[in-house]
Amino acid sequence: MTKAFISGCAGLRFTAEETAFFTREDPWGLILFRRNCDHPEQVAALVEDFRAAVGRQNAPVLIDQEGGRVMRLRPPHWPSFPPQKLFGDLYRADPGRGKEAAWLGARLIAHELLSLGINVDCLPLLDVGQPGMVDAIGDRAYGNEPDMVAKLGKETCEGLLAGGVLPVFKHLPGHGRATVDSHLELPRVDAPREELDAIDFAPFKALSSYPMAMTAHLLFTVIDPKAPATQSRVIIDSIIRGQMGFDGVLMSDDINMKALGGDIRERSAATFAAGCDLVLHCNGELDQMEAVAEVAPDLAGMSRLRCERALGWLKAPDPAFDAGAAWARFRTLTESLV
């Protein structure tokens, strides 16, 4: 029975112990990082090995291929993409140009991913930039205007889907007010509810019909002063599922980040108890992977239905897509700012 978690792995190929783990525990998906990506043939083989181990040919394989600082696939084997802020800069000068560039960038990313068998990209960021925003977000965000963020996020989702790749929008319910890095400590957001509703939450509500999203490890004191969003039943039920109307797959951000307290088992249990469908564990350390698997439930009920619905969004790309022409157009649109 498939379990409700997504796992990383240690290196370029599975060890015998990792293969046995994946076969035995059957996580819903695998996520890849720079340490897992050397050249195209190697990545494609790793993807195939995962699907063989879990016995599901459509098993999700995820990656963070955003552009800019966050690119797991890099030159010389893969093309470089700009940070998402570039599309916001373009949009402010010419909205049509910004939207076309965002769609094309995502479509070209999907073209690279699908050639390797990767079918989920953790993109777009719908975090609305705010003064003092932590550099960990920085130019990964489109900008500071909620309507622009929503429109560019939609183009990115549609570009990925056109290329046969599922988008995962992030970080619910908004990471733009974080002034410290959640990889290192728990950010605290003290903004009033009216501001959060009007600014931070708005892009997520606008794109709530898309099939997958990722939480943020942030403490929103006006809503739940005790638990970060990933582990807050109040935020997941009343804000994400309620106010935003999101009924897709809700996955956590990496539970190994230092914003969360407790050991890996405790973090996983609290994340599931709050209402996340899937726990994400990234570092590829087998002892921690086993701890997550011990806590993770079988994928069942609404969580299973949401995951099945998400995979139903995957469609084969248009065979007439011309990557060369798309790159030429993309460079024309972005050359003044790259």
Side-chain angles (χ1 to χ4, degrees):
M1 183 76 169
T2 300
K3 286 192 172 181
F5 72 105
I6 297 164
S7 182
C9 60
L12 300 175
R13 298 300 299 266
F14 293 151
T15 64
E17 291 79 12
E18 285 176 323
T19 299
F21 170 82
F22 290 130
T23 299
R24 180 179 68 251
E25 301 297 346
D26 190 13
W28 187 71
L30 174 74
I31 189 165
L32 301 181
F33 286 84
R34 187 76 191 98
R35 66 178 183 269
N36 308 123
C37 303
D38 184 25
H39 58 82
E41 293 78 12
Q42 171 268 320
V43 175
L46 187 64
V47 169
E48 278 304 305
D49 287 348
F50 173 69
R51 290 183 172 136
V54 299
R56 288 177 284 121
Q57 277 307 301
N58 68 340
V61 177
L62 298 81
I63 199 166
D64 295 283
Q65 190 72 356
E66 299 175 8
R69 291 173 292 134
V70 181
M71 288 193 299
R72 312 311 188 195
L73 306 172
R74 292 177 176 267
H77 295 295
W78 297 281
S80 184
F81 291 90
Q84 300 297 299
K85 179 179 180 293
L86 176 136
F87 305 125
D89 293 342
L90 286 172
Y91 182 94
R92 277 186 285 271
D94 182 338
R97 184 181 176 194
K99 290 196 293 184
E100 183 183 358
W103 187 94
L104 271 175
R107 180 64 184 85
L108 288 164
I109 287 175
H111 182 73
E112 298 297 329
L113 298 185
L114 198 63
S115 72
L116 305 169
I118 298 169
N119 57 359
V120 184
D121 192 10
C122 297
L123 186 70
L125 275 76
L126 300 184
D127 306 311
V128 180
Q130 296 291 322
M133 180 173 63
V134 66
D135 288 343
I137 300 297
D139 64 2
R140 298 168 63 197
Y142 297 115
N144 59 4
E145 302 160 31
D147 182 64
M148 177 187 74
V149 170
K151 287 176 178 175
L152 293 176
K154 180 178 178 61
E155 295 298 327
T156 299
C157 287
E158 290 299 320
L160 289 171
L161 287 165
V165 171
L166 280 178
V168 179
F169 63 83
K170 57 189 182 184
H171 306 84
L172 279 85
H175 211 300
R177 294 181 190 270
T179 58
V180 298
D181 186 351
S182 56
H183 291 86
L184 305 175
E185 58 184 298
L186 177 62
R188 177 188 176 101
V189 175
D190 297 320
R193 178 64 182 271
E194 294 77 13
E195 286 186 21
L196 294 172
D197 288 344
I199 299 171
D200 304 64
F201 299 168
F204 296 100
K205 184 175 182 178
L207 271 67
S208 63
S209 63
Y210 285 98
M212 292 188 68
M214 179 187 293
T215 62
H217 302 332
L218 271 70
L219 189 72
F220 291 85
T221 57
V222 73
I223 303 171
D224 186 343
K226 296 182 179 179
T230 298
Q231 298 175 336
S232 170
R233 171 64 75 173
V234 173
I235 288 177
I236 290 176
D237 281 357
S238 68
I239 305 299
I240 296 175
R241 298 295 191 196
Q243 179 177 331
M244 293 177 181
F246 178 68
D247 193 31
V249 178
L250 187 64
M251 59 184 280
S252 74
D253 204 344
D254 181 15
I255 60 161
N256 207 47
M257 292 161 66
K258 295 179 180 178
L260 302 181
D263 63 27
I264 291 297
R265 288 179 180 81
E266 292 167 336
R267 295 178 186 191
S268 300
T271 300
F272 286 122
C276 283
D277 297 302
L278 301 168
V279 156
L280 174 66
H281 180 263
C282 295
N283 70 12
E285 295 183 11
L286 190 58
D287 60 337
Q288 291 190 14
M289 292 157 61
E290 290 172 339
V292 173
E294 287 178 16
V295 176
D298 291 340
L299 193 61
M302 282 303 302
S303 293
R304 185 179 186 87
L305 178 60
R306 290 175 183 131
C307 288
E308 290 172 349
R309 285 195 313 227
L311 292 178
W313 280 63
L314 288 172
K315 307 296 181 186
D318 182 352
F321 177 71
D322 184 337
W327 268 112
R329 177 60 179 163
F330 184 68
R331 292 188 180 104
T332 297
L333 289 167
T334 61
E335 61 188 1
S336 64
L337 292 176
V338 175

